[in-house]
PDB file of all heavy atoms in Angstrom:
ATOM      1  N   LEU A 256      33.438 117.090   5.677  1.00 57.00           N
ATOM      2  CA  LEU A 256      33.989 115.746   5.803  1.00 57.00           C
ATOM      3  C   LEU A 256      35.495 115.744   5.631  1.00 57.00           C
ATOM      4  O   LEU A 256      36.218 115.014   6.323  1.00 57.00           O
ATOM      5  CB  LEU A 256      33.344 114.819   4.752  1.00 57.00           C
ATOM      6  CG  LEU A 256      31.911 114.372   5.084  1.00 57.00           C
ATOM      7  CD1 LEU A 256      31.327 113.593   3.891  1.00 57.00           C
ATOM      8  CD2 LEU A 256      31.887 113.512   6.337  1.00 57.00           C
ATOM      9  N   THR A 293      64.975  99.727  47.233  1.00 88.00           N
ATOM     10  CA  THR A 293      66.411  99.838  47.534  1.00 88.00           C
ATOM     11  C   THR A 293      66.653 100.886  48.623  1.00 88.00           C
ATOM     12  O   THR A 293      67.472 100.687  49.532  1.00 88.00           O
ATOM     13  CB  THR A 293      67.196 100.217  46.272  1.00 88.00           C
ATOM     14  OG1 THR A 293      66.948  99.239  45.249  1.00 88.00           O
ATOM     15  CG2 THR A 293      68.696 100.272  46.559  1.00 88.00           C
ATOM     16  N   LYS A 300      69.861  99.606  56.453  1.00 86.00           N
ATOM     17  CA  LYS A 300      71.312  99.542  56.637  1.00 86.00           C
ATOM     18  C   LYS A 300      71.812 100.772  57.402  1.00 86.00           C
ATOM     19  O   LYS A 300      72.704 100.683  58.248  1.00 86.00           O
ATOM     20  CB  LYS A 300      72.019  99.437  55.288  1.00 86.00           C
ATOM     21  CG  LYS A 300      71.854  98.081  54.629  1.00 86.00           C
ATOM     22  CD  LYS A 300      72.338  98.103  53.185  1.00 86.00           C
ATOM     23  CE  LYS A 300      73.817  98.407  53.096  1.00 86.00           C
ATOM     24  NZ  LYS A 300      74.297  98.376  51.689  1.00 86.00           N
ATOM     25  N   GLN A 311      79.845 102.173  68.917  1.00 81.00           N
ATOM     26  CA  GLN A 311      81.283 102.476  68.878  1.00 81.00           C
ATOM     27  C   GLN A 311      81.586 103.736  69.686  1.00 81.00           C
ATOM     28  O   GLN A 311      82.590 103.805  70.396  1.00 81.00           O
ATOM     29  CB  GLN A 311      81.760 102.661  67.429  1.00 81.00           C
ATOM     30  CG  GLN A 311      81.504 101.475  66.511  1.00 81.00           C
ATOM     31  CD  GLN A 311      82.264 100.243  66.920  1.00 81.00           C
ATOM     32  OE1 GLN A 311      82.970 100.242  67.909  1.00 81.00           O
ATOM     33  NE2 GLN A 311      82.098  99.150  66.184  1.00 81.00           N
ATOM     34  N   PHE A 353     116.084 114.041 116.262  1.00 68.00           N
ATOM     35  CA  PHE A 353     115.743 113.235 117.441  1.00 68.00           C
ATOM     36  C   PHE A 353     117.007 112.753 118.156  1.00 68.00           C
ATOM     37  O   PHE A 353     117.125 112.852 119.380  1.00 68.00           O
ATOM     38  CB  PHE A 353     114.886 112.048 117.001  1.00 68.00           C
ATOM     39  CG  PHE A 353     114.451 111.157 118.124  1.00 68.00           C
ATOM     40  CD1 PHE A 353     113.401 111.516 118.949  1.00 68.00           C
ATOM     41  CD2 PHE A 353     115.105 109.961 118.368  1.00 68.00           C
ATOM     42  CE1 PHE A 353     113.007 110.695 119.991  1.00 68.00           C
ATOM     43  CE2 PHE A 353     114.713 109.139 119.407  1.00 68.00           C
ATOM     44  CZ  PHE A 353     113.660 109.508 120.220  1.00 68.00           C
ATOM     45  N   SER A 361     121.147 114.284 127.217  1.00 74.00           N
ATOM     46  CA  SER A 361     122.142 113.572 128.012  1.00 74.00           C
ATOM     47  C   SER A 361     123.174 114.537 128.600  1.00 74.00           C
ATOM     48  O   SER A 361     123.519 114.467 129.783  1.00 74.00           O
ATOM     49  CB  SER A 361     122.839 112.532 127.124  1.00 74.00           C
ATOM     50  OG  SER A 361     123.849 111.871 127.843  1.00 74.00           O
ATOM     51  N   ASP A 368     122.778 117.107 137.002  1.00 63.00           N
ATOM     52  CA  ASP A 368     123.026 116.174 138.108  1.00 63.00           C
ATOM     53  C   ASP A 368     124.304 116.507 138.868  1.00 63.00           C
ATOM     54  O   ASP A 368     124.416 116.246 140.078  1.00 63.00           O
ATOM     55  CB  ASP A 368     123.103 114.746 137.569  1.00 63.00           C
ATOM     56  CG  ASP A 368     121.755 114.257 137.065  1.00 63.00           C
ATOM     57  OD1 ASP A 368     120.727 114.871 137.447  1.00 63.00           O
ATOM     58  OD2 ASP A 368     121.726 113.283 136.288  1.00 63.00           O
ATOM     59  N   SER A 391     132.210 144.213 157.334  1.00 88.00           N
ATOM     60  CA  SER A 391     132.401 144.383 158.781  1.00 88.00           C
ATOM     61  C   SER A 391     133.846 144.099 159.164  1.00 88.00           C
ATOM     62  O   SER A 391     134.463 144.820 159.956  1.00 88.00           O
ATOM     63  CB  SER A 391     131.445 143.461 159.542  1.00 88.00           C
ATOM     64  OG  SER A 391     131.702 143.530 160.928  1.00 88.00           O
ATOM     65  N   LEU A 399     141.564 148.285 163.915  1.00 84.00           N
ATOM     66  CA  LEU A 399     142.676 147.661 164.613  1.00 84.00           C
ATOM     67  C   LEU A 399     144.008 148.193 164.101  1.00 84.00           C
ATOM     68  O   LEU A 399     144.934 148.466 164.893  1.00 84.00           O
ATOM     69  CB  LEU A 399     142.611 146.143 164.451  1.00 84.00           C
ATOM     70  CG  LEU A 399     141.477 145.436 165.218  1.00 84.00           C
ATOM     71  CD1 LEU A 399     141.371 143.977 164.823  1.00 84.00           C
ATOM     72  CD2 LEU A 399     141.713 145.560 166.732  1.00 84.00           C
ATOM     73  N   LYS A 412     158.258 155.042 172.584  1.00 63.00           N
ATOM     74  CA  LYS A 412     158.765 156.252 173.269  1.00 63.00           C
ATOM     75  C   LYS A 412     158.497 156.206 174.776  1.00 63.00           C
ATOM     76  O   LYS A 412     159.140 156.898 175.560  1.00 63.00           O
ATOM     77  CB  LYS A 412     158.126 157.490 172.683  1.00 63.00           C
ATOM     78  CG  LYS A 412     158.552 157.736 171.222  1.00 63.00           C
ATOM     79  CD  LYS A 412     157.842 158.965 170.655  1.00 63.00           C
ATOM     80  CE  LYS A 412     158.265 159.221 169.236  1.00 63.00           C
ATOM     81  NZ  LYS A 412     157.575 160.377 168.684  1.00 63.00           N
ATOM     82  N   LYS A 429     152.551 146.439 175.992  1.00 73.00           N
ATOM     83  CA  LYS A 429     152.965 145.598 174.873  1.00 73.00           C
ATOM     84  C   LYS A 429     151.977 144.474 174.653  1.00 73.00           C
ATOM     85  O   LYS A 429     151.625 144.131 173.510  1.00 73.00           O
ATOM     86  CB  LYS A 429     154.364 145.037 175.196  1.00 73.00           C
ATOM     87  CG  LYS A 429     154.895 144.123 174.088  1.00 73.00           C
ATOM     88  CD  LYS A 429     156.257 143.549 174.476  1.00 73.00           C
ATOM     89  CE  LYS A 429     156.751 142.609 173.390  1.00 73.00           C
ATOM     90  NZ  LYS A 429     158.040 141.993 173.768  1.00 73.00           N
ATOM     91  N   ILE A 441     143.437 137.486 163.311  1.00 88.00           N
ATOM     92  CA  ILE A 441     142.202 136.682 163.232  1.00 88.00           C
ATOM     93  C   ILE A 441     141.230 137.295 162.222  1.00 88.00           C
ATOM     94  O   ILE A 441     140.612 136.595 161.402  1.00 88.00           O
ATOM     95  CB  ILE A 441     141.551 136.574 164.625  1.00 88.00           C
ATOM     96  CG1 ILE A 441     142.442 135.736 165.552  1.00 88.00           C
ATOM     97  CG2 ILE A 441     140.159 135.957 164.522  1.00 88.00           C
ATOM     98  CD1 ILE A 441     142.006 135.759 167.007  1.00 88.00           C
ATOM     99  N   ALA A 442     141.125 138.624 162.275  1.00 85.00           N
ATOM    100  CA  ALA A 442     140.216 139.316 161.350  1.00 85.00           C
ATOM    101  C   ALA A 442     140.667 139.139 159.904  1.00 85.00           C
ATOM    102  O   ALA A 442     139.850 138.965 158.985  1.00 85.00           O
ATOM    103  CB  ALA A 442     140.135 140.787 161.717  1.00 85.00           C
ATOM    104  N   VAL A 449     136.261 134.677 154.359  1.00 88.00           N
ATOM    105  CA  VAL A 449     134.996 135.249 153.846  1.00 88.00           C
ATOM    106  C   VAL A 449     135.127 135.576 152.365  1.00 88.00           C
ATOM    107  O   VAL A 449     134.216 135.336 151.553  1.00 88.00           O
ATOM    108  CB  VAL A 449     134.613 136.502 154.661  1.00 88.00           C
ATOM    109  CG1 VAL A 449     133.473 137.250 153.967  1.00 88.00           C
ATOM    110  CG2 VAL A 449     134.205 136.105 156.068  1.00 88.00           C
ATOM    111  N   ALA A 456     130.618 131.378 146.749  1.00 79.00           N
ATOM    112  CA  ALA A 456     129.174 131.635 146.660  1.00 79.00           C
ATOM    113  C   ALA A 456     128.804 132.161 145.276  1.00 79.00           C
ATOM    114  O   ALA A 456     127.779 131.772 144.692  1.00 79.00           O
ATOM    115  CB  ALA A 456     128.751 132.620 147.736  1.00 79.00           C
ATOM    116  N   ALA A 476     114.222 120.881 125.585  1.00 67.00           N
ATOM    117  CA  ALA A 476     114.723 119.756 124.795  1.00 67.00           C
ATOM    118  C   ALA A 476     113.794 118.551 124.907  1.00 67.00           C
ATOM    119  O   ALA A 476     113.578 117.828 123.928  1.00 67.00           O
ATOM    120  CB  ALA A 476     116.134 119.387 125.248  1.00 67.00           C
ATOM    121  N   ASP A 485     106.883 112.637 118.031  1.00 80.00           N
ATOM    122  CA  ASP A 485     105.523 112.569 117.489  1.00 80.00           C
ATOM    123  C   ASP A 485     105.540 112.755 115.974  1.00 80.00           C
ATOM    124  O   ASP A 485     104.836 112.038 115.238  1.00 80.00           O
ATOM    125  CB  ASP A 485     104.647 113.655 118.139  1.00 80.00           C
ATOM    126  CG  ASP A 485     104.365 113.361 119.599  1.00 80.00           C
ATOM    127  OD1 ASP A 485     104.557 112.194 120.015  1.00 80.00           O
ATOM    128  OD2 ASP A 485     103.969 114.294 120.332  1.00 80.00           O
ATOM    129  N   ALA A 503      99.097 100.032  95.736  1.00 78.00           N
ATOM    130  CA  ALA A 503      97.734  99.729  95.270  1.00 78.00           C
ATOM    131  C   ALA A 503      97.462 100.357  93.902  1.00 78.00           C
ATOM    132  O   ALA A 503      96.687  99.806  93.107  1.00 78.00           O
ATOM    133  CB  ALA A 503      96.714 100.236  96.292  1.00 78.00           C
ATOM    134  N   GLU A 509      99.275  99.717  85.192  1.00 71.00           N
ATOM    135  CA  GLU A 509      99.878  98.841  84.196  1.00 71.00           C
ATOM    136  C   GLU A 509      98.966  98.699  82.975  1.00 71.00           C
ATOM    137  O   GLU A 509      99.416  98.314  81.893  1.00 71.00           O
ATOM    138  CB  GLU A 509     100.155  97.467  84.813  1.00 71.00           C
ATOM    139  CG  GLU A 509     101.279  97.500  85.872  1.00 71.00           C
ATOM    140  CD  GLU A 509     101.461  96.163  86.556  1.00 71.00           C
ATOM    141  OE1 GLU A 509     100.680  95.238  86.233  1.00 71.00           O
ATOM    142  OE2 GLU A 509     102.370  96.042  87.397  1.00 71.00           O
ATOM    143  N   LYS A 523      89.411 104.311  65.551  1.00 87.00           N
ATOM    144  CA  LYS A 523      89.430 103.781  64.186  1.00 87.00           C
ATOM    145  C   LYS A 523      88.074 103.181  63.836  1.00 87.00           C
ATOM    146  O   LYS A 523      87.532 103.400  62.735  1.00 87.00           O
ATOM    147  CB  LYS A 523      90.537 102.726  64.069  1.00 87.00           C
ATOM    148  CG  LYS A 523      90.660 102.079  62.691  1.00 87.00           C
ATOM    149  CD  LYS A 523      91.875 101.155  62.677  1.00 87.00           C
ATOM    150  CE  LYS A 523      92.006 100.423  61.339  1.00 87.00           C
ATOM    151  NZ  LYS A 523      90.960  99.422  61.130  1.00 87.00           N
ATOM    152  N   GLN A 544      67.225 110.969  44.612  1.00 91.00           N
ATOM    153  CA  GLN A 544      67.261 111.792  43.402  1.00 91.00           C
ATOM    154  C   GLN A 544      66.740 110.997  42.210  1.00 91.00           C
ATOM    155  O   GLN A 544      66.003 111.514  41.362  1.00 91.00           O
ATOM    156  CB  GLN A 544      68.698 112.272  43.143  1.00 91.00           C
ATOM    157  CG  GLN A 544      68.822 113.206  41.953  1.00 91.00           C
ATOM    158  CD  GLN A 544      68.025 114.483  42.143  1.00 91.00           C
ATOM    159  OE1 GLN A 544      68.098 115.111  43.188  1.00 91.00           O
ATOM    160  NE2 GLN A 544      67.240 114.866  41.130  1.00 91.00           N
ATOM    161  N   GLU A 547      63.046 110.973  42.401  1.00 90.00           N
ATOM    162  CA  GLU A 547      62.524 112.250  41.896  1.00 90.00           C
ATOM    163  C   GLU A 547      62.558 112.276  40.371  1.00 90.00           C
ATOM    164  O   GLU A 547      61.599 112.749  39.722  1.00 90.00           O
ATOM    165  CB  GLU A 547      63.338 113.406  42.470  1.00 90.00           C
ATOM    166  CG  GLU A 547      63.128 113.629  43.958  1.00 90.00           C
ATOM    167  CD  GLU A 547      63.958 114.794  44.493  1.00 90.00           C
ATOM    168  OE1 GLU A 547      64.651 115.443  43.674  1.00 90.00           O
ATOM    169  OE2 GLU A 547      63.919 115.032  45.718  1.00 90.00           O
ATOM    170  N   ASN A 554      55.429 111.665  35.567  1.00 89.00           N
ATOM    171  CA  ASN A 554      54.482 112.775  35.375  1.00 89.00           C
ATOM    172  C   ASN A 554      54.421 113.191  33.907  1.00 89.00           C
ATOM    173  O   ASN A 554      53.330 113.473  33.360  1.00 89.00           O
ATOM    174  CB  ASN A 554      54.889 113.958  36.244  1.00 89.00           C
ATOM    175  CG  ASN A 554      54.654 113.684  37.719  1.00 89.00           C
ATOM    176  OD1 ASN A 554      53.792 112.867  38.067  1.00 89.00           O
ATOM    177  ND2 ASN A 554      55.405 114.363  38.594  1.00 89.00           N
ATOM    178  N   GLU A 561      47.599 111.136  28.965  1.00 80.00           N
ATOM    179  CA  GLU A 561      46.310 111.837  29.083  1.00 80.00           C
ATOM    180  C   GLU A 561      45.983 112.595  27.808  1.00 80.00           C
ATOM    181  O   GLU A 561      44.842 112.581  27.328  1.00 80.00           O
ATOM    182  CB  GLU A 561      46.364 112.795  30.278  1.00 80.00           C
ATOM    183  CG  GLU A 561      46.345 112.088  31.629  1.00 80.00           C
ATOM    184  CD  GLU A 561      46.535 113.055  32.768  1.00 80.00           C
ATOM    185  OE1 GLU A 561      46.718 114.267  32.479  1.00 80.00           O
ATOM    186  OE2 GLU A 561      46.522 112.627  33.941  1.00 80.00           O
ATOM    187  N   HIS A 593      22.194 113.301 -11.028  1.00 61.00           N
ATOM    188  CA  HIS A 593      20.897 113.416 -11.706  1.00 61.00           C
ATOM    189  C   HIS A 593      20.567 114.852 -12.047  1.00 61.00           C
ATOM    190  O   HIS A 593      19.765 115.085 -12.986  1.00 61.00           O
ATOM    191  CB  HIS A 593      19.792 112.800 -10.819  1.00 61.00           C
ATOM    192  CG  HIS A 593      19.854 111.293 -10.788  1.00 61.00           C
ATOM    193  ND1 HIS A 593      20.622 110.576  -9.889  1.00 61.00           N
ATOM    194  CD2 HIS A 593      19.235 110.343 -11.586  1.00 61.00           C
ATOM    195  CE1 HIS A 593      20.485 109.303 -10.108  1.00 61.00           C
ATOM    196  NE2 HIS A 593      19.607 109.111 -11.166  1.00 61.00           N
TER     197      HIS A 593
END
Side-chain angles (χ1 to χ4, degrees):
L256 284 174
T293 303
K300 288 169 63 178
Q311 303 296 2
F353 181 78
S361 177
D368 292 342
S391 175
L399 289 171
K412 293 178 179 179
K429 179 182 178 183
I441 292 170
V449 169
D485 290 343
E509 291 175 357
K523 180 175 177 290
Q544 184 62 47
E547 290 180 3
N554 289 334
E561 288 174 358
H593 287 88

